[in-house]
Short mmCIF file of all heavy atoms in Angstrom, two decimals:
data_model
loop_
_atom_site.label_atom_id
_atom_site.label_comp_id
_atom_site.label_asym_id
_atom_site.label_seq_id
_atom_site.Cartn_x
_atom_site.Cartn_y
_atom_site.Cartn_z
N THR A 1044 32.48 6.01 11.42
CA THR A 1044 32.56 7.43 11.11
C THR A 1044 31.72 7.73 9.85
O THR A 1044 30.99 8.72 9.81
CB THR A 1044 34.03 7.82 10.86
OG1 THR A 1044 34.76 7.59 12.06
CG2 THR A 1044 34.13 9.31 10.49
N LEU A 1045 31.84 6.91 8.84
CA LEU A 1045 31.07 7.10 7.63
C LEU A 1045 29.59 6.96 7.91
O LEU A 1045 28.78 7.69 7.34
CB LEU A 1045 31.44 6.12 6.56
CG LEU A 1045 32.87 6.31 5.93
CD1 LEU A 1045 33.24 5.13 5.13
CD2 LEU A 1045 32.87 7.58 5.06
N ALA A 1046 29.22 6.06 8.79
CA ALA A 1046 27.82 5.94 9.16
C ALA A 1046 27.31 7.15 9.86
O ALA A 1046 26.20 7.61 9.62
CB ALA A 1046 27.61 4.65 10.06
N ASN A 1047 28.15 7.68 10.74
CA ASN A 1047 27.73 8.96 11.44
C ASN A 1047 27.54 10.08 10.46
O ASN A 1047 26.64 10.90 10.57
CB ASN A 1047 28.71 9.35 12.52
CG ASN A 1047 28.43 8.72 13.85
OD1 ASN A 1047 27.28 8.39 14.16
ND2 ASN A 1047 29.45 8.50 14.61
N LEU A 1048 28.39 10.16 9.42
CA LEU A 1048 28.25 11.17 8.34
C LEU A 1048 27.01 10.93 7.53
O LEU A 1048 26.30 11.85 7.18
CB LEU A 1048 29.48 11.20 7.50
CG LEU A 1048 30.81 11.64 8.11
CD1 LEU A 1048 31.93 11.45 7.15
CD2 LEU A 1048 30.71 13.10 8.60
N ARG A 1049 26.74 9.69 7.20
CA ARG A 1049 25.62 9.32 6.38
C ARG A 1049 24.36 9.56 7.12
O ARG A 1049 23.38 9.99 6.55
CB ARG A 1049 25.76 7.83 5.98
CG ARG A 1049 24.56 7.31 5.24
CD ARG A 1049 24.51 7.78 3.82
NE ARG A 1049 23.38 7.22 3.09
CZ ARG A 1049 22.26 7.90 2.88
NH1 ARG A 1049 22.16 9.18 3.22
NH2 ARG A 1049 21.29 7.32 2.27
N TYR A 1050 24.32 9.18 8.39
CA TYR A 1050 23.08 9.39 9.17
C TYR A 1050 23.31 10.48 10.14
O TYR A 1050 23.44 10.32 11.35
CB TYR A 1050 22.81 8.07 9.96
CG TYR A 1050 22.65 6.87 9.05
CD1 TYR A 1050 23.71 5.97 8.88
CD2 TYR A 1050 21.47 6.65 8.34
CE1 TYR A 1050 23.53 4.87 8.05
CE2 TYR A 1050 21.32 5.59 7.46
CZ TYR A 1050 22.36 4.72 7.31
OH TYR A 1050 22.23 3.65 6.49
N ALA A 1051 23.32 11.73 9.65
CA ALA A 1051 23.62 12.92 10.46
C ALA A 1051 22.64 13.12 11.58
O ALA A 1051 22.90 13.64 12.58
CB ALA A 1051 23.61 14.14 9.60
N HIS A 1052 21.40 12.50 11.41
CA HIS A 1052 20.38 12.62 12.45
C HIS A 1052 20.51 11.53 13.53
O HIS A 1052 19.71 11.45 14.40
CB HIS A 1052 18.98 12.58 11.79
CG HIS A 1052 18.75 11.26 11.10
ND1 HIS A 1052 19.31 10.92 9.96
CD2 HIS A 1052 17.98 10.20 11.52
CE1 HIS A 1052 18.92 9.68 9.61
NE2 HIS A 1052 18.13 9.24 10.54
N THR A 1053 21.51 10.70 13.40
CA THR A 1053 21.68 9.60 14.35
C THR A 1053 23.06 9.70 15.01
O THR A 1053 23.94 10.38 14.54
CB THR A 1053 21.57 8.26 13.71
OG1 THR A 1053 22.59 8.10 12.76
CG2 THR A 1053 20.22 8.07 12.98
N ARG A 1054 23.19 8.97 16.05
CA ARG A 1054 24.50 8.83 16.73
C ARG A 1054 24.74 7.37 17.04
O ARG A 1054 23.80 6.67 17.51
CB ARG A 1054 24.50 9.64 18.05
CG ARG A 1054 25.76 9.54 18.81
CD ARG A 1054 26.92 10.42 18.24
NE ARG A 1054 26.62 11.75 18.42
CZ ARG A 1054 27.02 12.69 17.58
NH1 ARG A 1054 27.71 12.39 16.51
NH2 ARG A 1054 26.74 13.94 17.75
N LEU A 1055 25.90 6.86 16.74
CA LEU A 1055 26.15 5.46 16.99
C LEU A 1055 26.73 5.25 18.37
O LEU A 1055 27.64 5.98 18.79
CB LEU A 1055 27.17 4.93 15.97
CG LEU A 1055 26.66 4.82 14.52
CD1 LEU A 1055 27.79 4.58 13.61
CD2 LEU A 1055 25.60 3.83 14.36
N PHE A 1056 26.29 4.21 19.06
CA PHE A 1056 26.81 3.89 20.36
C PHE A 1056 27.22 2.41 20.32
O PHE A 1056 26.55 1.56 19.78
CB PHE A 1056 25.69 4.06 21.44
CG PHE A 1056 25.25 5.47 21.62
CD1 PHE A 1056 24.08 5.89 21.03
CD2 PHE A 1056 26.02 6.36 22.33
CE1 PHE A 1056 23.68 7.24 21.13
CE2 PHE A 1056 25.65 7.68 22.49
CZ PHE A 1056 24.46 8.12 21.90
N TRP A 1057 28.31 2.14 20.99
CA TRP A 1057 28.83 0.80 21.10
C TRP A 1057 28.19 0.11 22.30
O TRP A 1057 28.07 0.68 23.37
CB TRP A 1057 30.35 0.86 21.41
CG TRP A 1057 31.21 0.79 20.23
CD1 TRP A 1057 31.69 1.82 19.53
CD2 TRP A 1057 31.67 -0.41 19.59
NE1 TRP A 1057 32.48 1.34 18.49
CE2 TRP A 1057 32.50 0.00 18.49
CE3 TRP A 1057 31.51 -1.74 19.86
CZ2 TRP A 1057 33.12 -0.90 17.67
CZ3 TRP A 1057 32.13 -2.65 19.01
CH2 TRP A 1057 32.94 -2.20 17.97
N THR A 1058 27.88 -1.15 22.13
CA THR A 1058 27.60 -2.05 23.26
C THR A 1058 28.47 -3.25 22.92
O THR A 1058 28.87 -3.41 21.79
CB THR A 1058 26.15 -2.41 23.46
OG1 THR A 1058 25.75 -3.08 22.28
CG2 THR A 1058 25.28 -1.15 23.63
N PRO A 1059 28.78 -4.18 23.85
CA PRO A 1059 29.64 -5.25 23.53
C PRO A 1059 29.20 -6.12 22.37
O PRO A 1059 30.04 -6.60 21.56
CB PRO A 1059 29.64 -6.09 24.80
CG PRO A 1059 29.36 -5.15 25.91
CD PRO A 1059 28.40 -4.12 25.27
N ALA A 1060 27.88 -6.30 22.16
CA ALA A 1060 27.45 -7.17 21.13
C ALA A 1060 26.78 -6.50 19.92
O ALA A 1060 26.46 -7.12 18.94
CB ALA A 1060 26.43 -8.14 21.73
N ARG A 1061 26.58 -5.17 19.97
CA ARG A 1061 25.91 -4.52 18.86
C ARG A 1061 26.20 -3.05 18.82
O ARG A 1061 26.72 -2.48 19.75
CB ARG A 1061 24.42 -4.76 19.00
CG ARG A 1061 23.84 -4.15 20.22
CD ARG A 1061 22.39 -4.37 20.40
NE ARG A 1061 22.01 -3.84 21.67
CZ ARG A 1061 20.87 -4.04 22.30
NH1 ARG A 1061 20.01 -4.78 21.74
NH2 ARG A 1061 20.60 -3.52 23.41
N ILE A 1062 25.83 -2.47 17.74
CA ILE A 1062 25.93 -1.01 17.54
C ILE A 1062 24.50 -0.49 17.55
O ILE A 1062 23.61 -1.03 16.92
CB ILE A 1062 26.54 -0.67 16.17
CG1 ILE A 1062 27.91 -1.34 15.98
CG2 ILE A 1062 26.59 0.81 15.96
CD1 ILE A 1062 28.99 -0.83 16.90
N VAL A 1063 24.28 0.60 18.28
CA VAL A 1063 22.97 1.14 18.37
C VAL A 1063 23.05 2.54 17.82
O VAL A 1063 23.92 3.34 18.22
CB VAL A 1063 22.46 1.19 19.84
CG1 VAL A 1063 21.09 1.88 19.94
CG2 VAL A 1063 22.36 -0.21 20.40
N MET A 1064 22.15 2.94 16.91
CA MET A 1064 22.12 4.28 16.35
C MET A 1064 20.90 4.94 16.99
O MET A 1064 19.80 4.49 16.85
CB MET A 1064 21.95 4.27 14.85
CG MET A 1064 23.11 3.60 14.13
SD MET A 1064 23.07 3.64 12.32
CE MET A 1064 21.45 3.74 11.79
N SER A 1065 21.13 6.02 17.75
CA SER A 1065 20.02 6.73 18.34
C SER A 1065 19.68 7.96 17.51
O SER A 1065 20.54 8.64 17.02
CB SER A 1065 20.31 7.10 19.81
OG SER A 1065 21.22 8.13 19.83
N VAL A 1066 18.38 8.20 17.37
CA VAL A 1066 17.87 9.26 16.51
C VAL A 1066 17.80 10.54 17.35
O VAL A 1066 17.33 10.53 18.46
CB VAL A 1066 16.52 8.93 15.91
CG1 VAL A 1066 15.99 10.05 15.05
CG2 VAL A 1066 16.62 7.65 15.09
#
Side-chain angles (χ1 to χ4, degrees):
T1044 300
L1045 290 168
N1047 273 332
L1048 293 174
R1049 173 74 180 105
Y1050 302 101
H1052 63 287
T1053 65
R1054 179 75 70 212
L1055 293 170
F1056 296 100
W1057 268 94
T1058 65
R1061 63 181 175 194
I1062 305 293
V1063 178
M1064 299 186 331
S1065 72
V1066 180

